[in-house]
Every structure is written in C-alpha cells, then in structure tokens.
Amino acid sequence: MKFPNKKVSPIDLFAGAGGMSLGFENAGFEIPLAVEIDDWAVDTYRKNRENSNVIKNDILEIDNAFFKQFSGIDAVIGGPPCQGFSISASNRRNPDDPRNYLYRQFLRVIKLVKPRIVFMENVKEIVKFVLPNGKLLLDEIIFCLEELGYSIKPFIINAADFGIPQERIRFFMVASLGPVPDLLQEATYSETVDLLRPNKYRDVYSAISDLPAVYPRQHEEGDTFEYDNQPVNNYQRLMRKGSANIYNHIPMRHTDRTIEKFKMIRTQGIDSLPENLRSRTRGDSSKISNKTYSQNHRRINPTKPSPTITASFYSSFIHPYQDRNLTVREAARIQSFPDNYIFYGKRTTLSKKLLEKKGIFEDVHLDQFNQVGNAVPPLLAEKFASIIIQSLKGEFVK
C-alpha cells in the first residue's frame, strides 16, 4: 500500500527503554520527542538510535510551554507507570502511591498538543482501579478524552495471540479525533507458520533455542558472543537481522548450591528438594522456610509461550534445559526485542527499598532486567502502529 510522503510523528511519554517507540519506528513513524525519567533506561533508549530526541526528566517538571511547541502532533503514545495498581504489587498496593496519578500527566500533554491519535498501554488491572472518590480511574481517563472530542476503543489482549512467545495480558486503548482504527481488525496471528511450530502460538524455545549456551560464573560482565547455531525459524531470523554479535547474555552468578537446586527442580520437581536445598528463612539461614512463592524458580515449559516477563523476572524463571535463570537477552527475545538492541545500566541491582536502606542511591535506577520487563513488546507495538499509520494517512478502511 502506498502512502503520501508526509512523515507521521508521535510523542512517546514514559518511554522506558524504548519498546513502544521501536515498534512505531518500524511501522514508519518518526519520533520527535520521548520523555523518560530513569537514567539507565534513557541510556538504552538513546544509544540504540542514531538520532534520538529522548529527554531525561520528570514529566512533572516539564512545563506546558515546552509541550505546546508540539501542538498538532500526529499521536501521543505511552504507558503511564502501573506499579501502584499492578497485580504483581497487590500485597503492597498503596492507593496514595504517586505513580497512580501520572496518567493525569499523560492527559495534560494530550490536552496541550491535541494529537489526532492517542495510544496507551497498561496492566489489565487498570480497569478495576478505584480512585479515592469512588470512581474508576479508567472512567476518568475516558471522560477527559471524550471532553476533548476523542472517540475511544479500549481493549485487553494476550500478546501470545499476536505471535509474541509470551502469555502477556495487557490493557490497550486507542482514541481518535476521527474514525477510531480497529486495532483488532486483522487476524490475531498473521505470521508465516513455521513447520517446526505445532500450533498457532509461538513457544518459548522456538524463540531462544539458537542462542549459545552460557554458564554461571564462566563469563565476565560485558562479554559478547557469536552465534554458534543457525536460526531454525522466521522468528529467530527476524531477531538476528542486523546483528553480528549477541549482547546482554551473561547469566546470574549462581552458587553451586543454587545450580544443584535448579537441576533437581528440572529432573524431579520443586516439591522433592532435599532439606539442604530448600529455601531458608529470611534473616536466619539456619532455619528452613515453609513459605512458597509461586512466582519464583519456575522451570519454563519449552513447548508453550513463556509466562509474563515482568520487571523482576530475573529470579522467576529457570531456563528450559540449562540450570540457571534466564539472561537479559533471552528475556529480550521473549519480549521481541531484536538482538542488536543493547540494554545499558547494571544487569541487576538490589531492590529500591534495600538500596535506599544501604544508602546506595547511585543504583536506584531501572536495571537491564527491569527495562526489559517493563517494555511493550516491539513486535506487538509494530502490529498496532501499522494500522494506526494507515488511519493517519487516510488509508484506513472500516
């Protein structure tokens, strides 16, 4: 399909490491502005682009005059932080968490620049979040957009239905000053079916099986790797396109005890662990903990899509066949980041609360695992962006 030569441009707010931006760029958008507060995520965003217009700043500190210069922009896209009402944080959910209200900054920019299209992503729990006044947060967003003249289509999808090798259920919303593009109009799975894949879902091993084996404590930070296997399907070929080396593929420095534990989980299951390999009570390693955490140390089933890659996934999943947790690169593959997309900052850090307690404030940033887990899968963003760009260029057909 031929389009006019006019460039289409979105502003990406809360851009993170750039997953949504990458998808929109691959669909033909040029992004004149991205905003992100985190140092390490900005490094990743900036260093993966020849011409990057990302600014590192708290959106609360950016005044109206700055955004007004982008008045009439084609689109505003982004995912306001969701930690305050994510199900993964349900045990520590705080109705007063300031991150719960950053969506109002998203709305502020929309009101200032009045884009033709708005595209927003968030956790599915956003549809249930209740504000202190008793109203639903989503209702406030929809009301504000309708007041500005937008027509709106919210929807919830599973990324696995769109060829992403991961069960990732997320909320999306598209709003338009004109006809609202139906982002679900196309078949949910339109990729060429690989002969090695037995069903329409892309299983996790078909996404990562060509990556070289790596072993705990045998590699140094910053090491890169060469491909030692040929790609066996279209997804692997796509992920390797334009990449000569493999980055971010360093495994965690597991102890011998942890490796043995992972091996037994693989061969016999977690319930059969002997006493010497069972988890210890926090603060007293001499006592065995009777607590179980369903999100930790899960051996990934190689024949199914991966469970959701979250910001803290590094201790959640064990490689299907190797006795270690996933590497950043394997998780990036599962999130559909290409191999030439390099993540910066430290690979992993302590929790923010523990870092602050220890006074290590220089590390209170989004590490590589956080950046990958927080991102919108680029291939998923590209699928939706390709429909949005048709709408913006007048080629959308109901």
Side-chain angles (χ1 to χ4, degrees), residues 29 46 214-215 335 368:
F29 284 83
R46 182 175 290 137
V214 290
Y215 304 94
Q335 278 278 64
Q368 294 173 16

Coordinates of all heavy atoms in Angstrom, one line a residue, residues 29 46 214-215 335 368:
F29 N 6.9 5.4 11.7 CA 6.8 6.7 12.4 C 8.2 7.2 12.7 O 9.2 6.5 12.8 CB 6.1 6.5 13.8 CG 4.6 6.3 13.7 CD1 4.1 5.1 13.4 CD2 3.8 7.4 13.9 CE1 2.7 4.9 13.4 CE2 2.4 7.2 13.9 CZ 1.8 6.0 13.6
R46 N 18.6 6.0 24.1 CA 19.4 6.9 23.3 C 20.4 6.2 22.5 O 20.6 6.5 21.3 CB 20.1 7.9 24.2 CG 20.9 9.0 23.5 CD 21.4 10.0 24.5 NE 20.3 10.9 25.0 CZ 20.2 11.2 26.3 NH1 21.0 10.8 27.2 NH2 19.2 12.0 26.6
V214 N 25.2 -20.7 27.9 CA 26.1 -19.9 28.8 C 26.0 -20.5 30.2 O 24.9 -21.1 30.6 CB 25.7 -18.4 28.8 CG1 26.1 -17.8 27.5 CG2 24.3 -18.2 29.1
Y215 N 27.0 -20.3 31.0 CA 27.1 -21.0 32.3 C 27.4 -20.0 33.4 O 28.3 -19.1 33.2 CB 28.1 -22.1 32.2 CG 27.8 -23.1 31.1 CD1 28.4 -22.9 29.9 CD2 27.0 -24.1 31.3 CE1 28.2 -23.8 28.9 CE2 26.7 -25.0 30.3 CZ 27.3 -24.8 29.1 OH 27.0 -25.7 28.0
Q335 N 10.4 -10.9 24.7 CA 9.7 -9.7 24.5 C 9.7 -9.1 23.1 O 9.1 -8.1 22.8 CB 10.4 -8.6 25.5 CG 9.9 -8.7 26.9 CD 8.6 -8.0 27.1 OE1 7.5 -8.4 26.6 NE2 8.5 -7.0 27.9
Q368 N 18.8 -3.7 33.8 CA 18.5 -4.3 32.4 C 17.3 -5.2 32.5 O 16.4 -5.2 31.6 CB 19.7 -5.0 31.9 CG 20.9 -4.1 31.6 CD 22.1 -4.9 31.2 OE1 22.1 -6.1 30.9 NE2 23.3 -4.3 31.2

